Amino acid sequence: MNFFYEEFPDTVWIHGQEIAIITDFREYIRLLDMLKCTELNEVQKVELLSEYFLDEVKIDQDAIRALTEFVLMDTDEKKEESDDEDEQEEEPESRKNLFSYEKDYAFILSAFLRDYHIDLGTVEYLHWWKFRMLFDGLSEDTEIRQRIMYRGINLADIKDKEERKRIAKIQRSIQLPAEELTDYEIGNAFA
């Protein structure tokens, strides 16, 4: 897909039918929170999931797969690249969460204001995919990008003892709760 001349998707394909879905970024952040909620059982989560479809659809594995692919921005091109990587990679690497929409809200909000002059608290509508693309494109010197960078550092890779201690201290101060979901876990949430 080339978004210079194609629009962001507002439908998914389920059982050969094009089904309209909600696309605002806030709704998908809410969905991710709902998936983490331990007070909801799987039946309740599936019931809430049905609210993301604007057309009538039976919530089955195909519907869940389609919505999961939308959330993960999983295009056909990405699937082909992923299939090639799967053949090369025998064991999936452990993925840790590098940010939280809830815990890092202030830093995400300030980065969007600084870089794009977009107030996420008052913007009327922003497509989920556009939000994710803008998020990924935030300046390296924004607080959220710095937090992501520090959280992603593997301390075992740092040879200098003092530098390792310094980074470990930073990581402890910005550590996220363990229950956060990664993109990988989102894809497997209803599998």
Side-chain angles (χ1 to χ4, degrees):
M1 298 182 92
N2 189 331
F3 295 112
F4 282 111
Y5 55 85
E6 293 182 71
E7 292 186 21
F8 290 110
D10 59 1
T11 60
V12 292
W13 286 91
I14 302 171
H15 302 297
Q17 289 187 303
E18 200 170 13
I19 306 294
I21 57 171
I22 291 173
T23 59
D24 187 58
F25 80 102
R26 291 175 194 87
E27 295 302 323
Y28 288 94
I29 292 172
R30 186 174 290 125
L31 173 64
L32 298 175
D33 283 345
M34 184 261 307
L35 291 174
K36 293 183 293 190
C37 182
T38 57
E39 295 172 11
L40 297 174
N41 62 39
E42 294 304 312
V43 173
Q44 292 168 316
K45 289 179 181 181
V46 169
E47 190 175 298
L48 288 170
L49 196 66
S50 68
E51 295 174 12
Y52 287 81
F53 298 98
L54 299 174
D55 297 329
E56 285 294 317
V57 65
K58 179 184 176 207
I59 305 299
D60 60 9
Q61 289 297 349
D62 196 35
I64 291 168
R65 177 202 44 77
L67 195 61
T68 299
E69 288 173 357
F70 178 81
V71 169
L72 298 176
M73 296 174 53
D74 198 0
T75 62
D76 289 335
E77 293 125 20
K78 280 187 174 182
K79 283 183 210 166
E80 290 171 13
E81 290 172 16
S82 176
D83 290 344
D84 293 343
E85 290 171 8
D86 289 344
E87 291 172 12
Q88 296 170 357
E89 193 176 313
E90 292 178 16
E91 194 174 305
E93 63 183 61
S94 174
R95 300 175 188 189
K96 68 178 180 178
N97 228 3
L98 302 180
F99 70 93
S100 161
Y101 290 117
E102 179 185 359
K103 306 292 184 207
D104 292 323
Y105 173 76
F107 309 112
I108 297 168
L109 176 69
S110 65
F112 269 73
L113 277 169
R114 188 190 107 173
D115 280 4
Y116 308 122
H117 306 287
I118 296 173
D119 184 341
L120 294 176
T122 61
V123 67
E124 192 171 319
Y125 170 81
L126 185 59
H127 192 283
W128 171 245
W129 286 25
K130 187 173 186 178
F131 169 80
R132 290 280 310 270
M133 289 174 185
L134 290 171
F135 186 91
D136 290 344
L138 288 169
S139 301
E140 291 297 322
D141 63 342
T142 58
E143 180 68 22
I144 186 61
R145 293 294 298 225
Q146 289 294 303
R147 286 171 173 261
I148 290 169
M149 184 266 304
Y150 278 114
R151 288 173 182 151
I153 293 174
N154 182 352
L155 294 174
D157 293 340
I158 300 173
K159 304 296 181 222
D160 182 83
K161 184 178 177 181
E162 291 303 312
E163 180 66 3
R164 189 170 46 249
K165 281 174 54 176
R166 183 185 78 80
I167 297 205
K169 182 178 178 181
I170 292 170
Q171 286 182 336
R172 281 191 304 277
S173 72
I174 62 173
Q175 184 175 355
L176 293 173
E179 76 276 2
E180 301 288 333
L181 292 174
T182 64
D183 279 352
Y184 180 77
E185 292 165 329
I186 293 163
N188 290 320
F190 293 104

